[in-house]
């Protein structure tokens, strides 16, 4: 079915386009055009002057809706994905916490099955662990050092292509060789839960660690040892010009000043917005099942208050935080939630921007940056169709677009032609239609 989204501000790679339209057909973007004249046969959706932006790409997300991806069941994957799609996440790379290597096999089996489903939003898997510094990974309940064993990870990666990202601590024995191997297979290698300082980070970057997970969190910054001062992981990552980062922009993990600093120093093309969401995100009030974790002050914490452990945020929350609290332009905030993560995860050929031929992954945001409609692969996500039904104005625009030339050629009055060709409840509706025509 052909769908036309009109009357909105469309974010394109060239910037904002006003009074254009987005045409969707067979799950793809057929065209992004600067004309909003109705196309014959298209179902018209009126964006009512709101923002039409690319769907968000969730590249670090543990769960939602009461489900955790680490449960490694199709039910959990379906449940978490459905919860986040309502908030604009149209492409998802489930994050699986792996305290031990055996968890990964189960996750791969489920992920491969999900990726075989037509029009599915899951495009790969993100693994966190087990090669992490236990001192920095207490929030993940990893309490011992697991050296990166080539036999272990090669056995997994040589039988699947679904793993697209794998996080580890560069100071763990074998981690540098691990990063080199990931790079050779085109898998994003990210530093995570680390104490690495400048020399370690420089060596890690050269080995293949090109990305920093949940930047500033679970890593030290500037610090002192005795009377001397030392750079931390944070400053070291800033000094690696081409190293990309991600921030949990929920307004809790990092203050707005730090979000602005990352934006200023790393820029849009090297910064991604991530939720790091747990099962309690978008869960509609379902209680937490893990007694070790509590929700307090709008964020997940260890019950002993020793550390943050994840977020309850959704992708739309990140965009709102960046715009409303950190004063980042909306276009840049959206790009960091869509275009940049799509490129880093290797799927920019099919999503991340609104362009002809790409997947029809589209979000409409109102003036307060609330989600009003979501299309994933051209399919309207359930419970997000607030703009689609009962829209007299959109129906009128479509009818008038089709009849415009006829009206001008016939010499008839606008009122006479419209009243005989369009369903109008009263003259107030005619006034709206006449305004559209003008």
């Amino acid at each position: 079915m052909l769908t036309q989204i009109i009357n909105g501000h469309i974010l394109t790679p060239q910037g904002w386009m006003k009074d254009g339209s987005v045409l969707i057909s067979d799950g793809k973007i057929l065209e992004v055009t600067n004309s909003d004249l109705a196309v014959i046969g298209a179902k018209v959706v009126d964006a009512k002057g709101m923002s039409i932006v690319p769907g968000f790409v969730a590249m670090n997300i543990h769960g939602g809706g009461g489900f955790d991806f680490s449960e490694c069941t199709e039910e959990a994957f379906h449940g978490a994905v459905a919860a986040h799609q309502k908030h604009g996440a149209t492409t998802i790379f489930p994050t699986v916490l792996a305290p031990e290597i055996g968890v990964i096999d189960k996750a791969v089996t489920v992920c491969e099955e999900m990726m075989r489903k037509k029009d599915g939003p899951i495009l790969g898997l993100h693994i966190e662990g087990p090669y992490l510094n236990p001192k920095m990974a207490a929030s993940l309940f990893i309490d011992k050092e697991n050296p990166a064993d080539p036999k272990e990870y090669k056995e997994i990666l040589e039988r699947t292509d679904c793993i697209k990202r794998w996080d580890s601590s560069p100071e763990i024995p074998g981690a540098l060789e691990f990063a080199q191997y990931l790079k050779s297979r085109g898998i994003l290698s990210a530093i995570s839960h680390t104490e690495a300082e400048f020399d370690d980070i420089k060596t890690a970057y050269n080995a293949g660690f090109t990305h920093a997970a949940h930047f500033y969190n679970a890593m030290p910054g500037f610090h002192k040892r005795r009377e001397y001062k030392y750079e931390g992981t944070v400053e070291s990552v800033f000094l690696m010009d081409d190293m990309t980062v991600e921030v949990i922009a929920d307004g809790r993990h990092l203050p707005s000043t730090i979000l602005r600093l990352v934006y200023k120093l790393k820029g849009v093309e090297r910064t991604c917005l991530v939720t790091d969401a747990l099962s309690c995100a978008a869960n509609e009030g379902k209680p937490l099942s893990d007694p070790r974790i509590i929700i307090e002050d709008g964020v997940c914490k260890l019950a002993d208050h020793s550390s943050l452990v994840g977020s309850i945020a959704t992708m739309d929350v990140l965009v709102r935080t960046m715009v409303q609290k950190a004063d980042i332009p909306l276009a840049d905030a959206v790009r960091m939630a869509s275009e940049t993560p799509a490129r880093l995860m290797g799927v920019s050929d099919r999503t991340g921007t609104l362009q002809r031929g790409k997947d029809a992954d589209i979000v409409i945001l109102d003036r307060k940056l609330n989600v009003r409609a979501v299309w994933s692969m051209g399919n309207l996500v359930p419970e997000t169709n607030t703009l689609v039904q009962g829209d007299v104005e959109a129906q009128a625009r479509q009818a008038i677009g089709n009849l415009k030339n006829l009206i001008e050629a016939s010499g008839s009055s606008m009122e006479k032609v419209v009243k005989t060709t369009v369903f109008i409840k009263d003259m107030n509706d005619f006034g709206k239609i006449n305004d559209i025509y003008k």
Side-chain angles (χ1 to χ4, degrees):
M1 179 178 69
L2 183 63
T3 300
Q4 183 180 19
I5 307 174
I6 61 171
N7 190 26
H9 298 271
I10 306 168
L11 182 59
T12 74
Q14 293 74 40
W16 291 105
M17 177 190 294
K18 186 179 179 183
D19 298 327
S21 62
V22 181
L23 292 170
I24 304 170
S25 181
D26 297 325
K28 298 290 184 181
I29 296 175
L30 189 63
E31 192 63 83
V32 178
T33 173
N34 59 7
S35 171
D36 66 352
L37 286 179
V39 174
I40 296 174
K43 179 179 181 179
V44 175
V45 177
D46 190 339
K48 303 180 186 299
M50 300 180 194
S51 299
I52 305 169
V53 303
F56 307 135
V57 178
M59 63 183 288
N60 188 341
I61 180 169
H62 291 269
F67 298 94
D68 194 307
F69 290 120
S70 293
E71 295 172 41
C72 299
T73 66
E74 286 196 36
E75 179 187 12
F77 273 55
H78 277 297
V81 164
H84 283 281
Q85 279 189 309
K86 296 174 187 177
H87 295 273
T90 55
T91 301
I92 295 176
F93 293 88
T95 300
V96 172
L97 174 61
E100 56 186 27
I101 207 74
V103 174
I104 300 173
D105 288 322
K106 297 177 183 177
V108 164
T109 299
V110 177
C111 186
E112 288 179 336
E113 181 61 32
M114 298 292 290
M115 290 175 70
R116 282 192 283 268
K117 298 183 184 298
K118 185 177 184 296
D119 296 342
I122 293 178
L123 298 187
L125 200 61
H126 166 214
I127 304 296
E128 187 172 23
Y131 313 129
L132 296 172
N133 182 338
K135 183 178 177 181
M136 303 301 292
S139 62
L140 303 181
F141 312 113
I142 292 176
D143 56 6
K144 65 177 182 178
E145 183 175 277
N146 295 292
D149 183 347
K151 181 180 178 182
E152 199 172 59
Y153 58 74
K154 286 182 179 180
E155 183 179 346
I156 292 173
L157 294 173
E158 286 173 2
R159 67 171 183 264
T160 184
D161 291 323
C162 80
I163 296 175
K164 305 299 182 183
R165 169 181 170 180
W166 201 327
D167 299 2
S168 58
S169 305
E171 64 267 35
I172 290 293
L176 299 180
E177 292 78 11
F178 177 50
Q180 290 171 345
Y181 183 73
L182 293 179
K183 183 178 180 180
S184 72
R185 296 187 66 89
I187 298 170
L188 181 65
S189 180
I191 64 166
S192 183
H193 298 271
T194 178
E195 294 180 290
E197 295 180 352
F198 181 73
D199 289 340
D200 299 319
I201 291 296
K202 184 176 181 180
T203 301
Y205 177 78
N206 291 332
F209 282 101
T210 59
H211 186 68
H214 39 65
F215 192 40
Y216 273 90
N217 295 110
M219 61 181 66
F222 175 79
H223 57 281
K224 285 182 67 175
R225 289 197 294 270
R226 293 176 60 90
E227 64 270 37
Y228 297 106
K229 299 176 179 66
Y230 295 86
E231 79 289 343
T233 306
V234 170
E235 293 78 19
S236 303
V237 169
F238 274 132
L239 287 171
M240 297 292 106
D241 290 341
D242 292 327
M243 197 169 199
T244 56
V245 301
E246 62 187 41
V247 288
I248 307 173
D250 60 351
R252 299 294 179 179
H253 278 77
L254 297 173
S256 59
T257 49
I258 295 297
L259 294 175
R260 282 192 59 80
L261 179 65
V262 175
Y263 168 76
K264 183 175 182 178
L265 296 184
K266 280 295 183 181
V268 174
E269 295 181 352
R270 295 184 179 89
T271 306
C272 302
L273 306 184
V274 300
T275 63
D276 200 22
L278 301 189
S279 62
C280 45
N283 73 345
E284 300 177 356
K286 296 177 184 176
L288 270 170
S289 58
D290 192 333
R292 299 172 297 181
I293 299 173
I294 61 172
I295 299 176
E296 189 176 83
D297 303 324
V299 70
C300 298
K301 305 177 181 179
L302 290 179
D304 65 2
H305 291 83
S306 62
S307 175
L308 299 182
V309 70
S311 88
I312 59 173
T314 48
M315 292 297 294
D316 55 329
V317 169
L318 311 181
V319 172
R320 282 198 297 275
T321 300
M322 294 298 282
V323 174
Q324 297 172 356
K325 295 183 178 181
D327 295 323
I328 306 301
L330 176 59
D332 287 347
V334 169
R335 288 180 63 198
M336 290 186 283
S338 54
E339 179 183 332
T340 304
R343 188 183 76 251
L344 296 190
M345 297 304 289
V347 294
S348 60
D349 60 326
R350 56 179 296 183
T351 194
T353 54
L354 299 182
Q355 290 177 282
R356 180 179 184 177
K358 291 195 175 184
D359 294 345
D361 296 334
I362 302 168
V363 175
I364 294 181
L365 301 173
D366 65 22
R367 287 168 180 79
K368 293 183 179 180
L369 305 183
N370 296 307
V371 171
R372 295 295 302 275
V374 181
W375 286 264
S376 178
M377 291 288 292
N379 298 310
L380 189 66
V381 173
E383 301 179 36
T384 70
N385 58 345
T386 60
L387 296 175
V388 177
Q389 296 177 346
D391 195 334
V392 173
E393 188 172 337
Q395 295 170 11
R397 185 182 294 273
Q398 181 182 26
I400 291 172
N402 295 340
L403 293 170
K404 182 178 180 182
N405 292 333
L406 175 63
I407 292 170
E408 292 176 346
S410 68
S412 299
S413 71
M414 179 66 185
E415 179 177 354
K416 180 178 179 180
V417 175
V418 170
K419 287 179 69 176
T420 57
T421 56
V422 182
F423 292 106
I424 298 179
K425 294 180 181 178
D426 54 39
M427 288 307 293
N428 287 333
D429 282 340
F430 169 74
K432 290 169 65 179
I433 292 168
N434 201 35
D435 288 341
I436 294 169
Y437 181 77
K438 291 177 182 177

